[in-house]
Structures are given as C-alpha cells and as structure tokens.
Amino acid sequence: MSVLLCFATALMLFVLLLSYRKRHLQVARTMVYMMATASCYALGYAFEILGSSLSGVKLALQFEYLGIPFVSAFWLLLVIQFTGLATAYRKWITVLLFLIPTTTFLLHLTNGWHHLIYEAYILNPNDTVPLYNTIKGPWYSVHGVYNYTILLLGILLFIPMYLRALPIVRKQILLLILGAAAPMLFNIGYMFSTVIDFTPLGFAVSGVVYAWGIFRFGLLRLTPLAYAKMFDTVRDGVVLLDYENQIVNYNRAAEEVFPELAQTKSIPAFGKDVLTASPELVQRIAATDFQDERFPLQLLLGARQMYYICSLTYIYDTGTTPIGKMLMFSDITELKENEERLHEKSQRLSQLNAFKDKLFTVMAHDIRDPIALLVSLTELLGEEPTDTDIASAEVFQEIRRQVRGTFHLVDNLLDWYRSQNGEVAFRPLAWNLQQVVRQALSLAGARAAMKNIQISELIDEKLTVNADKEMLDLIFRNLLSNAIKYTDIDGKIEVSASIEHNEVTVSVSDNGSGIDEDTARLLRHDELFFKEPGFASREDGGDMRFGLVLTREFLRMHGGSLRFESSAGQGTTFRFTLPGSVSSGGTSESEGMVVKAIEGHLN
C-alpha cells in the first residue's frame, strides 16, 4: 500500500513539473498548487500506514493535512479560472473559497485542545492497516460536506461550458472532470468501509489523466476563455449550427450582422426561428446536398445597405458524417461602395471624354477652316509686299507667320487626335515612292520658293513602299515643313532614298541652322506637348516638336523608326524607314548629302 502511495506521489509530482513549465499561465500555477497538496496527502498517508506508534501516526496526519483541506479548493479555483467565470470578483471568491480549508488546517493543528477533527485514536486490535482507527469529530463532517459540495459545484460549472465548447476544449473539460471524479469515488468507498482510505490512490489516477491530457490534448495550453476570446475577436461573423440546423454558438461579429441573435433567449435555437429577416439564407442552410458554397447576401441594417460574402462549410466528425455547419459572413460593404464610386467616376470620365470628342469636332470644323482661309488670304496679300511702309510690312509678315504656324499646329493636333481616337484607319498599300515625294514637294514648293530654297529629289523611280497614303503624306509634310522653316534664304533641301533587305530608308536633309544640343535632348523624349526654344532662331519649337511626335507615331504603326543627325549651323538630316521593295530591272542609287554630328533616335 505504501509503495502504491509513493508511486501516486511520483505521478502527481510529475504533473506538477509539467504544469510548472507553463507557470506563466494562471491556470497552470493553480494546477501546481493542487498537485503539491495532493502529493502531501498521498505521501503523508503512506507514512501513516507505516507508522508504528501513535505519535508517528499523528505526525503523518499533520503532513497529510498540508494537503487534505486544500485539494478540493484548488480544484474549484482551477475550474473558475478555466471557465473564465467571475473575473471581477476573483480575489473575493478565492478568499471565501479557502476560508474553511484554512480553518480545517488550523483546527487539525490544534486538535489536541478541542478534538473537533478527531475525537479519539483507537488501536486496531487485529494489528492490521491502519494501526489506529480514528473517531471523527463534528468539524470533520463540515470538512467532508464542504469538499463534496465543491467537487459537485465544479462539475456543474463545466456542464454548460461543455455544451458550448469546441471539440478540443470538450476533451480538456472531460479530462478535468475525470481527474476530480477519481479521488471523489475512492473517498466515497472509504466513507462506506471506514477501514482504508484509498482517496490518495484516486489522486494517482488524476495524475495519469492530467499527464495524458497535457501531452495528448494540450491541456493547460489554451483555456476555453482563450478559445472564446479568439472566436469573438474574429472580424468576420461566424455562426455554428448542429446537424439539426440549430444555432449552437456565434461570435460578436455575427451579432452585428444579425442583431436578433442577441435577442434570442436560449441557445441552441433553430436557425429558421432566429434568422427570419433572411429567408434565402435559411433556405440555403436547410439544404442537404452536403456541399460547401459561397454566395452573396444583402441586408438593410438601419439606413445602410450592407453587402456580405457568405461561406457555408460543413463540419465532419472523424468519418464522413456531417455533424454541423459553419456559416461565415465577410463584410464587403466598403468594397461595394468603392466600386459604386468608381463606377460613378467612370461615367463622369465617359461624359468628359464625350465632351472632348465634341470639342475636337468643333475645332475641326469651326476653327481649322477659318484659320485655313486666313492663311490663304495672307499668302495672297504677301506675294507683292510694298515698301511704302516698312513697319507695316514687317507686322504683316509676322501676322502671316503666326497664322501659318497656328494652322499647322491645329492641323497636326487634329491628325494626332484622330490617330489616338481610332478614327484614322491604317490601310497600308504599295505606293511608288517617287510619285509620293513629288506630290509632297509640289505642295511645299510655294513656301520654299518664298525663301528661294532649292529642293532636290534623288529617288529611284522603281522604289515602292508599303504604307498608308494619308499617313505617308503627313510624314513628308511635317519633315519638309520643318526643313523649310529652319533653312535660311537660298538654302538647299534634298530628299533621297535607298533600299536594303526589303527596308527603304528615306532621308530629308537641309543645310539650315541645325538643332542645338538642348533641343536635341528634348527630341529624344516621348513627351507630346511642350513649347521650348526651338531651332536656330529660338522663336518657338512647339509645333515642330508636335509634328515630329505625330510623325514618329505613324512610323511606329508601319513598323519603322525615325532618327536624326544634326550639327548647329550646318544642317539637319532626318531619316525614317518603311517596308518596301524594288521592281525588276534594278535600281540606281542616288547620291545624298551626309551630315555627321549629333545623332539621336526617336523610337
């Protein structure tokens, strides 16, 4: 018997050690105290059995009573901490809980004066265990009733928590109940036999159960209160239902989605009786196809329309039988509202875009045509300038130059807009390059003649390019316009072409003022609009820049590229490539001017 009690003590000390390793948890510290007092009970009883005299038995009882009065109190305190009850009154409950155990300990310590615990010690005539039988006093009965009351109260506190708890928590609760029930059952046997007290052996069973719970189920790792807080702090609403579609648990976020949950008097309750505001949801919950699903849900909470994504997930036991469902609500109201705001902004942008289209239409008809007429009139009036009023003539020439520049800018702007808006159709066909260039030269000849500029064309008559005719005309118009603009009086412009590997390279060269380094750097960027000091005269370069940007965009559509070479004061050469070919009979190569200086690419 003593060996068994020592073994029981060793088991309880082992559980004490395991609990001590988790001593940062309040519930683990309480387990340490409970196992320590139970160890005193078991070890003291082992010495009592081995006692050979009355004084030895009394000394062993004194050691036993370091634990006997307090074991049950510590167990109930463990239950209170484990369940998270009465947090605000925990200190007062602890004081009241240990009032009777402390009194019992002190009364046993002074039992020789009043005999309230043990009235007498009677020698066993049969010389068997135990050596002395005890006659219990009145306070011993108080102590017994108190212990049984505490044990029953702890079990009753566990019952409602067990019904609401998660499966892993339920296993922990069962282990704690079993650990408390084993000593109680052994003690009940002692009350009936009054020979040998096997209660300490019951604590050995408790030690085995608790050790198994710590290793197997994470006992003392997370209390149900911690699980409950974790459940409540989930931002999404969660509702747990059993196999009969009864709501068995829910978190605070679910109450915000369905305020009627908080008004339900008793849980569990049937979902169809609680979620009456959403019959579609009740219908989905009642479905028995055993398939998880996600679906949208709209609810009107107060004056605000709320949007949710619901997930209905089946919960299974260790097999394939569903034992319940979990319904989760993810609030996407802000996403929906942002989506609606974006939709409104998109409609607003569409309206602004439509207004922009109308604005360009007005520019095309009501602005371009009058400017074109002004250009024609200034050209006619300026053919024979008079010398009677030199100041007026200079003013007139400036007006003519500004009107012409504005016309080209508007023309390029409209062409660019049509290309960006998809109104320019890209229809590449085979065109004789020489004929296209001569047509462009005929249109630019009048402006070149005014500055006595000589334009030469050195293009083989058999060269053919695959290009869109309108875009090709615009490319030549812009390059020739810039060449004429920045070439001095009596200057020269040359247009030449060569072919290599089905790629035609066209060059437009002039001996004008050239491009300075700052402007060349700007031309290599992709910005569309700027008005910076331009070529040699530094009067303006905005329309030149815009025309080249448009030229570059059209060449990209053809799969070609645009590059330039320039030297300030010596001239500029623009080269661009287009897919092309040469008809049978060969080609004569034309000599072209090569000007080496700054080289840049407009990709």
Side-chain angles (χ1 to χ4, degrees):
M1 183 68 180
S2 299
V3 172
L4 290 176
L5 289 172
C6 289
F7 177 72
T9 303
L11 283 176
M12 288 183 282
L13 291 176
F14 178 65
V15 176
L16 184 151
L17 179 62
L18 294 177
S19 303
Y20 182 77
R21 294 172 60 183
K22 304 176 185 298
R23 60 188 179 278
H24 59 281
L25 299 174
Q26 188 180 44
V27 67
R29 293 195 298 269
T30 304
M31 178 69 80
V32 168
Y33 301 142
M34 185 177 73
M35 289 293 102
T37 53
S39 299
C40 291
Y41 186 5
L43 188 61
Y45 192 56
F47 289 128
E48 180 186 350
I49 292 175
L50 295 175
S52 58
S53 63
L54 181 59
S55 59
V57 171
K58 288 184 177 181
L59 181 60
L61 283 172
Q62 293 292 355
F63 189 77
E64 286 181 58
Y65 269 80
L66 291 174
I68 289 177
F70 303 104
V71 176
S72 300
F74 277 121
W75 186 81
L76 183 59
L77 182 61
L78 180 74
V79 172
I80 293 174
Q81 293 171 348
F82 197 79
T83 56
L85 297 174
T87 305
Y89 306 99
R90 189 74 55 79
K91 291 183 179 180
W92 288 106
I93 290 176
T94 304
V95 171
L96 296 175
L97 192 60
F98 284 88
L99 185 61
I100 292 180
T102 304
T103 304
T104 301
F105 173 76
L106 294 176
L107 289 177
H108 183 268
L109 194 64
T110 59
N111 186 70
W113 301 344
H114 45 70
H115 302 289
L116 292 176
I117 302 295
Y118 297 115
E119 294 182 351
Y121 300 90
I122 301 174
L123 182 65
N124 194 332
N126 299 324
D127 196 23
T128 58
V129 177
L131 183 59
Y132 286 89
N133 292 324
T134 55
I135 305 299
K136 306 321 188 271
W139 189 261
Y140 189 91
S141 300
V142 174
H143 163 66
V145 172
Y146 172 79
N147 283 339
Y148 281 107
T149 302
I150 280 182
L151 291 172
L152 291 175
L153 180 59
I155 294 174
L156 291 175
L157 290 177
F158 269 140
I159 291 175
M161 172 162 284
Y162 178 85
L163 297 176
R164 299 193 307 267
L166 300 174
I168 187 171
V169 180
R170 288 185 174 184
K171 294 176 182 178
Q172 294 183 9
I173 293 173
L174 286 176
L175 289 174
L176 289 173
I177 293 176
L178 180 59
M184 183 174 63
L185 293 176
F186 277 92
N187 188 259
I188 291 174
Y190 170 66
M191 297 294 291
F192 284 99
S193 66
T194 66
V195 178
I196 299 178
D197 186 3
F198 289 98
T199 304
L201 296 179
F203 285 110
V205 177
S206 301
V208 173
V209 170
Y210 291 153
W212 183 50
I214 291 173
F215 283 112
R216 179 65 178 83
F217 300 109
L219 185 64
L220 306 182
R221 188 176 298 275
L222 275 180
T223 65
L225 179 61
Y227 280 107
K229 286 187 176 180
M230 179 182 66
F231 185 62
D232 281 335
T233 53
V234 175
R235 296 182 61 182
D236 294 335
V238 180
V239 177
L240 299 179
L241 303 102
D242 62 9
Y243 62 94
E244 293 182 337
N245 293 327
Q246 292 190 90
I247 298 174
V248 295
N249 204 351
Y250 56 86
N251 64 352
R252 294 179 182 176
E255 289 185 7
E256 297 178 2
V257 181
F258 292 100
E260 50 266 35
L261 287 171
Q263 301 171 3
T264 304
K265 296 181 179 179
S266 61
I267 293 292
F270 284 100
K272 63 181 180 179
D273 298 332
V274 178
L275 307 178
T276 54
S278 184
E280 179 185 355
L281 180 60
V282 173
Q283 185 177 359
R284 288 182 179 271
I285 292 175
T288 57
D289 52 358
F290 305 121
Q291 292 184 357
D292 298 346
E293 60 175 332
R294 289 170 60 88
F295 53 90
L297 178 67
Q298 297 184 26
L299 294 173
L300 185 63
L301 298 181
R304 187 182 183 188
Q305 184 71 34
M306 305 295 292
Y307 300 88
Y308 301 93
I309 289 293
C310 300
S311 299
L312 184 61
T313 306
Y314 281 83
I315 303 173
Y316 296 87
D317 58 6
T318 55
T320 59
T321 303
I323 60 174
K325 304 174 185 177
M326 181 177 69
L327 187 64
M328 182 175 290
F329 306 89
S330 298
D331 190 351
I332 59 169
T333 303
E334 290 188 6
L335 293 177
K336 274 288 186 180
E337 292 175 347
N338 290 336
E339 182 180 344
E340 292 178 358
R341 284 193 288 267
L342 288 175
H343 182 67
E344 293 176 358
K345 291 182 178 180
S346 176
Q347 289 182 333
R348 178 62 177 164
L349 288 175
S350 299
Q351 295 173 356
L352 292 175
N353 191 55
F355 172 75
K356 178 259 298 178
D357 293 341
K358 293 180 181 178
L359 178 62
F360 274 98
T361 303
V362 171
M363 289 180 63
H365 295 87
D366 298 343
I367 297 179
R368 185 180 183 277
D369 292 344
I371 293 179
L373 180 60
L374 287 174
V375 172
S376 300
L377 292 176
T378 54
E379 294 291 344
L380 290 174
L381 293 175
E383 288 179 357
E384 299 292 337
T386 62
D387 296 332
T388 56
D389 191 346
I390 298 177
S392 298
E394 291 179 354
V395 171
F396 175 77
Q397 293 297 333
E398 179 65 21
I399 292 174
R400 185 173 63 176
R401 191 181 68 82
Q402 292 292 342
V403 170
R404 187 189 300 116
T406 304
F407 173 75
H408 286 305
L409 178 61
V410 171
D411 211 25
N412 284 331
L413 180 63
L414 292 174
D415 287 336
W416 172 83
Y417 166 70
R418 287 194 294 269
S419 69
Q420 296 296 312
N421 205 35
E423 295 182 5
V424 176
F426 179 61
R427 299 186 181 92
L429 298 172
W431 297 94
N432 184 278
L433 182 61
Q434 187 184 68
Q435 294 179 3
V436 174
V437 171
R438 287 181 177 178
Q439 182 181 359
L441 293 179
S442 66
L443 296 175
R447 289 187 60 194
M450 294 176 60
K451 300 176 68 174
N452 198 26
I453 296 175
Q454 180 184 354
I455 303 180
S456 59
E457 168 262 315
L458 301 174
I459 297 178
D460 192 284
E461 62 181 4
K462 296 179 181 180
L463 283 180
T464 302
V465 293
N466 295 320
D468 184 277
K469 183 60 167 58
E470 291 186 6
M471 294 184 182
L472 192 57
D473 289 340
L474 183 140
I475 291 170
F476 278 115
R477 186 177 72 202
N478 276 311
L479 294 179
L480 290 173
S481 176
N482 283 309
I484 293 171
K485 181 175 182 179
Y486 297 104
T487 301
D488 298 331
I489 296 175
D490 296 328
K492 292 182 179 181
I493 297 175
E494 182 180 283
V495 181
S496 60
S498 61
I499 185 170
E500 183 178 359
H501 303 301
N502 295 326
E503 185 179 75
V504 176
T505 301
V506 182
S507 301
V508 179
S509 304
D510 64 70
N511 62 349
S513 55
I515 306 175
D516 61 79
E517 186 175 351
D518 293 337
T519 305
R521 186 178 64 256
L522 292 172
L523 288 175
R524 294 186 182 96
H525 295 298
D526 280 340
E527 294 137 2
L528 293 179
F529 308 102
F530 75 92
K531 192 173 182 66
E532 293 289 342
F535 296 138
S537 63
R538 291 188 177 272
E539 292 171 349
D540 66 328
D543 56 345
M544 177 281 304
R545 170 72 175 120
F546 193 82
L548 288 180
V549 169
L550 190 61
T551 299
R552 179 180 58 197
E553 292 298 320
F554 284 167
L555 286 172
R556 281 178 175 173
M557 296 176 66
H558 286 83
S561 61
L562 177 67
R563 65 183 186 273
F564 66 91
E565 299 173 354
S566 180
S567 179
Q570 296 183 16
T572 303
T573 298
F574 280 95
R575 292 188 176 89
F576 64 88
T577 57
L578 289 171
S581 61
V582 59
S583 59
S584 60
T587 179
S588 58
E589 295 190 5
S590 18
E591 297 180 0
M593 184 181 347
V594 178
V595 179
K596 284 224 167 186
I598 301 173
E599 183 172 349
H601 293 273
L602 298 176
N603 297 321

